[in-house]
Amino acid sequence: MQYLYLHGFASSPRSAKAQYFRDRFEELGQPLLIPDLNQGDFFHLTLSRQIEQVEALLIPEEPVTLIGSSFGGLTAAWLAEKHPQVVQLFLLAPAFEFAIQWLPRLGDEYRRWQETGVLEVYHYTEERLLPLSYGFAKDLLAYDDRQLQRPVPTLIFHGLQDEVIPIAASRRYCEGRPWVSRVELDSDHALKEVQPAIWGMMYPIIYQQLT
């Protein structure tokens, strides 16, 4: 079994969640691959690029479990749709409906982004503003979450106080998808204080995979 963790938008493998789960897998003696989805080129980031990057890391015919946080969760869902070897998803505040949740909030900035081709985005790991190409939005708008229909066992963890991706997005995603389970937690988008609880619910599934 191959395990990968996909970090969120404007984040990195150095994020608190990525490091937390890396440490838990180390305790199990199991490697957790955490690719840097920025690829040293945040400006040209797109969902398609992330999907292609992770596809190149998949070992042919080896089953894989994906853990995805926020935009990494959305990436994981699309990978599972395309690749039968993905057998389990753990999604942490997944960025479903990302285009309709995030883009309208930009207001006039979105119009300027279209006109100039550049948006300044705060990168949480770099702790500074970085430019992002309008290609990110154009690419994102080509994806429709309603097309995600492959029945991959999926466990979603989402905070009730999430203001980045409201929990309603995960609730809607669960509708008509009986293979998806959802745990609602008293937390925000970061899910920081509930990480041990999340691991406690993931661990039995992972342990069973490994034994």
Side-chain angles (χ1 to χ4, degrees), residues 118-150:
V118 179
L119 176 71
E120 294 291 323
V121 174
Y122 185 78
H123 196 285
Y124 294 96
T125 301
E126 296 292 329
E127 298 183 334
R128 60 190 174 99
L129 291 171
L130 293 179
L132 179 66
S133 167
Y134 184 67
F136 177 87
K138 289 172 61 178
D139 178 80
L140 184 62
L141 291 168
Y143 288 85
D144 184 347
D145 296 352
R146 292 173 295 184
Q147 296 175 3
L148 295 169
Q149 294 295 332
R150 183 172 165 254

Side-chain angles (χ1 to χ4, degrees), residues 9 115 122 177:
F9 174 69
E115 292 172 352
Y122 185 78
R177 293 181 175 89

